[in-house]
Amino acid sequence: MPFGVGQVGKSFRNEITKGNFVFRTLEFEQGEIEYFFDPEAENWEKLFAEWKTQMFSFATNVLGVDPEHLRWREHDDNERSFYSKRTEDLEYLFPFGFKELWGIAYRGDYDLSQHMKHSGVDLQYVDSATGRKFIPHVIEPAVG
């Protein structure tokens, strides 16, 4: 702990209506990382900020995106998922305005707690040094 799992694959949106030609499609390829950490050992706000810095650096320094065409936009309480304590989008200035390019969310322990609840399987992490059991928290950067 901490550790991350990355995947790339098909994603489907059921809340998006067709519009803006192919910008917001109902089916698309998505890459995401589930970054698990001990909430007692690490401050989620610090980790969140570090992920944002790395995402911006990757977009500008590796991919060559002009930083003047990027901005961060935080989701408000009405837009953010109920289980997320914080969600932000890295938006790109397209010819038709700023739109989401990449997102990041602090999901707390919601995902693993729900899997435990519905599967009956204990998914707590056991610290081998102390024997302490806890449900890891997750920060999820996702690009699609």
Side-chain angles (χ1 to χ4, degrees):
M1 195 65 61
F3 70 95
V5 177
Q7 65 182 7
V8 175
K10 289 276 186 217
S11 288
F12 303 91
R13 294 187 184 264
N14 61 5
E15 76 278 9
I16 303 299
T17 58
K18 294 180 181 179
N20 290 332
F21 188 53
V22 296
F23 180 73
R24 294 295 278 200
T25 58
L26 298 177
E27 176 182 338
F28 58 98
E29 289 292 319
Q30 180 174 351
E32 66 181 17
I33 296 170
E34 301 292 316
Y35 183 78
F36 298 91
F37 65 96
D38 179 350
E40 289 186 19
E42 299 191 69
N43 178 294
W44 74 265
E45 290 169 310
K46 182 178 180 223
L47 286 174
F48 196 93
E50 290 171 1
W51 271 103
K52 283 179 55 179
T53 298
Q54 291 300 317
M55 292 163 66
F56 196 90
S57 176
F58 181 80
T60 57
N61 298 327
V62 176
L63 299 178
V65 177
D66 182 347
E68 295 294 318
H69 292 120
L70 294 173
R71 73 175 184 193
W72 285 102
R73 185 184 62 80
E74 186 168 358
H75 290 206
D76 64 26
D77 290 343
N78 294 324
E79 183 182 15
R80 189 178 59 249
S81 300
F82 69 91
Y83 51 79
S84 175
K85 289 192 177 177
R86 188 174 194 176
T87 300
E88 294 191 34
D89 290 337
L90 182 57
E91 295 183 327
Y92 179 79
L93 180 57
F94 290 93
F96 46 86
F98 275 102
K99 298 293 180 186
E100 175 187 354
L101 187 64
W102 207 344
I104 182 171
Y106 170 48
R107 301 172 67 92
D109 67 359
Y110 180 79
D111 298 314
L112 289 177
S113 294
Q114 289 301 301
H115 287 305
M116 287 175 56
K117 177 181 173 183
H118 295 287
S119 71
V121 175
D122 185 359
L123 299 175
Q124 294 182 89
Y125 179 82
V126 180
D127 185 321
S128 60
T130 66
R132 183 173 72 88
K133 293 175 82 172
F134 63 92
I135 300 171
H137 284 209
V138 173
I139 290 178
E140 179 191 67
V143 64

